[in-house]
Amino acid sequence: MSPARPLQQVLLAPAVALLRRVVADADGDPRAAQDVLEAAASQVGGFDLEGYREVLDIDPRLAPGVAVSWAGKLLDLVDGSGVPTRLALATLAQPAVTSTRRRTTGAYYTDFRLAQYLARRTAQLAATPLTPASTIIDTAAGTGILLVALAEQIGRAQIDRAEPAALRDLVAGGLSAVDLDPECRRGTVAALASLTTDLDAIKDLATRVRTADSLVADAGLWCRLSAEGRFDAVLGNPPWERLRVTRHETLLASGARRHYGADYHPDQESCAGAHLTEVDRVRRYADGLARRYPLLGHREVDLCQAFLALGCSLVRPGGSLGMLLPAGLIRGQGTVRLREHLLTNATEVDLTVLHNRSHFFGIDTRFKFLAVCAQVAGRPTRGATLRLRHSEGTDHDIPERTPVRITFADLAAARRDLTVPEVPGEREWRLFQHMTACGSRPDDPDSPWGMRIIREVDMTRDRRLFRRTPSAVSAVPARPAVPDVPARPAVPDVPAWPAVAEVPVVEGRMVHQYRGRAKTYVSGSGRTAIWRPVQLGAADAALPQFFVNPARLPDSVRERSSRPRVGFCDVVAQTNERTLQAALIAPGRVCGNKVPTLDFCIPDDGVRHQREMLFLAAANSFVVDWFVRRLVTTSLNFFILLGLPLPALDPTGPAGRRLVDLAERLVAAEADPEAGPERRVSEVAQYRAEIDLLICDAYRIDRAELPLLLADFPLLDRHQPALPGEARSTVTADLLTACCGSALGQERYLAATSRGALAYVPAELAR
């Protein structure tokens, strides 16, 4: 999906166009735009423009009268944009960010709605109300929009107390900004200067707007900005950038035009030296940050995590922290120590989950991120009370939502790694807790679901082994004589692979629920590759993108490739039609790194097969998929799967035997050309509905909760014909309701199928 154009950019486009005209009229001198912004700030704040230039020793490009004339026009455009004036000035002062610069700095400037929302929540969480005497810092300030928003929040409270001039003290001694980019400084000072009429206060302010790398700054910097180096409030929208350098990124930085996953050409080898130099520089910097901030652990360093660790250390006890951070903070394995520190050194933590559907940033609209606010205790606590909110922006603000209250004890009981589940309401939180209590985690020592997760080949490291077509002397192995669901006797010594036999590589796009060959490769490479869906029952038509000679693979991988095993696609999203997609991978295929495979730790091969079928039934059910969607962002990490509470199912009991039988039928349906398409799809729907209800029963979930579960799958039944007068089809939900004995559900299901609607059909096949 293409990146969204930020709403703020759209609203301020006329103002940006005017500033470009100003620069063009000044022979391309960018100082002219800064002159106009400072003139606009003087009109908003009421200070003298010429005096401002003098006290700050500014070398202007435009005469005062010219700058003031342009500023009047600019403010007229800002007034019509709907963006608050001072926040607009901070936004318009932002330096242009090229794609290369964004990759190296991680800079995504803050939307005005986010700035106001974060300021409001940060002010509310302070143990002592923030006043003009408070000290406030943004350690990744950009052009100061978060500081402006919080100052206005404080100012509104002061104006309510009939103290309209009180912000003078905040500007003079309370606001501090640090940013790595020297081009941001002049704009930051102007935006913050618009809060007051006092030039002496502005002069003092300018000494506390610093150009520095906050992450490596010494304690002396913070002590010069605030007594004892602590602040009443710390704000930030830090870079969301992981400290790593790939060959792909080095080529992009050198001006190459390519997409992720594209093949490398010999003429690009000239960048190898530059790549190694940059890798060495980044590694040394990352090692330094890891030593400085022990909460980061020893994984790849993420800059925003380092800024969070820094922020926690700078907040005065009883003060508040407010940051915009990626959603991985509440669920990543690499952020466990940060989560634990935040939740056990704060009194209250307020988390708001936000979508980019409101066009906050110029990135994928499906991207999720967090507004994280905390009242920091400054000492270990018994655990913070967590208030979890879900919200979306309107064109003007971010509305307040009722939070889900989660105690630290309850969170620790449900998620031992303190993963915060995205539960939108109290009812969903209770259901999540219930499933946790009823299930058995595969990583528990006595769990019947004991399993290992194994990657077979790496699509990057092993790329040299791949061929796009089988070599002339070899042939693609015929479909194995072993059926997809064999009786599974114990595997004897595995015979040697023929030296010329090449086997298909199974990629993530080929895997769907119960289907390991759901798509066929057409053309292209990397993210531009084109794949076409394969109809149910025609699995032999699924062609891979790559082949590999198994003789060049490790013995353990060759052995695994010779037998069926469960695999799952680990590239996932909460907003997809379905999230957890697991299938039985047929023999004679090797799985790429986006299709990890499972090895159930059971010596008896027949029992292992039963457990594999039970896993497929549970994993592909709506119930388990709903649970997983509470925990993932874009990847089904191993620790999420191994911490998934699966239902306690006995493969020899009535429900277990039935689930094994149904899962075997669904696996066999992928490559069964005998039944006609309509009959096959109808039978599959009936099997799947029965499985969903059996899994629901296995968790002891009242079937009346099914509508709550299904509400989390809004893309279900896309492209199926709707009933008359309805906007979209609900044929799958109607089938489940009918199977529960509802006469209305049966009536609706029959009416839907009479119009050609089919349950449990993925949207890409429905087309």
Side-chain angles (χ1 to χ4, degrees), residues 79 148 183 220 238 277 347 349 357 445 521 626 684 701-702 738 758:
D79 287 343
V148 171
E183 292 185 39
T277 300
T347 306
V349 175
R357 287 194 294 259
Y521 172 71
W626 179 89
V684 162
I701 296 174
D702 191 326
L758 299 169

Side-chain angles (χ1 to χ4, degrees), residues 355-499:
H355 287 266
N356 198 43
R357 287 194 294 259
S358 302
H359 296 185
F360 295 116
F361 302 108
I363 52 180
D364 195 319
T365 56
R366 295 169 295 185
F367 188 82
K368 279 188 175 182
F369 60 98
L370 308 169
V372 180
C373 299
Q375 182 188 114
V376 177
R379 65 185 186 284
T381 67
R382 292 184 177 181
T385 297
L386 176 65
R387 287 178 173 82
L388 178 65
R389 307 169 197 266
H390 288 71
S391 192
E392 294 193 26
T394 67
D395 286 350
H396 306 291
D397 63 3
I398 300 174
E400 295 285 347
R401 302 294 186 199
T402 303
V404 178
R405 185 178 180 276
I406 302 175
T407 67
F408 180 82
D410 284 346
L411 178 63
R415 304 298 299 169
R416 63 185 66 161
D417 60 359
L418 300 180
T419 305
V420 181
E422 287 188 33
V423 283
E426 296 287 352
R427 187 177 168 195
E428 289 86 351
W429 172 230
R430 289 195 298 271
L431 179 58
F432 187 92
Q433 290 178 288
H434 173 80
M435 289 182 63
T436 300
C438 288
S440 175
R441 293 170 52 128
D443 58 5
D444 285 337
D446 57 348
S447 172
W449 292 102
M451 65 175 74
R452 291 186 303 152
I453 303 177
I454 300 170
R455 296 194 192 273
E456 296 181 355
V457 295
D458 190 282
M459 301 298 291
T460 301
R461 288 198 306 270
D462 299 326
R463 191 69 169 262
R464 69 190 187 283
L465 306 179
F466 297 168
R467 300 181 60 89
R468 289 196 176 275
T469 57
S471 59
V473 296
S474 64
V476 182
R479 185 166 175 237
V482 183
D484 280 1
V485 187
R488 298 298 296 273
V491 179
D493 292 338
V494 179
W497 285 79

Side-chain angles (χ1 to χ4, degrees), residues 118 321-325 329 342 349-352 370-374:
L118 192 71
L321 175 76
M323 284 192 168
L324 299 174
L325 299 166
L329 171 69
L342 185 64
V349 175
D350 192 292
L351 294 176
T352 304
L370 308 169
V372 180
C373 299

Side-chain angles (χ1 to χ4, degrees), residues 128-153:
T128 303
L130 298 177
T131 71
S134 301
T135 53
I136 301 165
I137 190 169
D138 187 337
T139 55
T143 50
I145 190 171
L146 288 174
L147 291 170
V148 171
L150 186 52
E152 288 193 326
Q153 180 74 22

Side-chain angles (χ1 to χ4, degrees), residues 258-265 463 468 507 509 521-531 545-546:
R258 66 190 312 277
H259 59 268
Y260 185 79
D263 294 330
Y264 294 99
H265 303 295
R463 191 69 169 262
R468 289 196 176 275
E507 299 185 55
R509 300 192 207 194
Y521 172 71
V522 178
S523 62
S525 64
R527 289 177 177 168
T528 65
I530 298 174
W531 295 78
Q545 179 177 194
F546 297 112

Side-chain angles (χ1 to χ4, degrees), residues 514-568:
Y514 297 102
R515 302 188 61 195
R517 289 169 283 174
K519 285 187 179 179
T520 184
Y521 172 71
V522 178
S523 62
S525 64
R527 289 177 177 168
T528 65
I530 298 174
W531 295 78
R532 186 174 63 244
V534 173
Q535 290 291 342
L536 190 64
D540 286 344
L543 301 177
Q545 179 177 194
F546 297 112
F547 297 85
V548 65
N549 187 336
R552 304 184 66 185
L553 297 175
D555 292 345
S556 60
V557 175
R558 290 205 307 273
E559 187 277 327
R560 290 187 65 77
S561 301
S562 70
R563 56 184 173 86
R565 67 274 188 210
V566 171
F568 63 95

Side-chain angles (χ1 to χ4, degrees), residues 3 204-205 321 344 366 426 468 528 592 596 642 735 760:
D204 291 339
L205 165 73
L321 175 76
T344 57
R366 295 169 295 185
E426 296 287 352
R468 289 196 176 275
T528 65
L642 293 176
L735 173 57
Y760 287 93

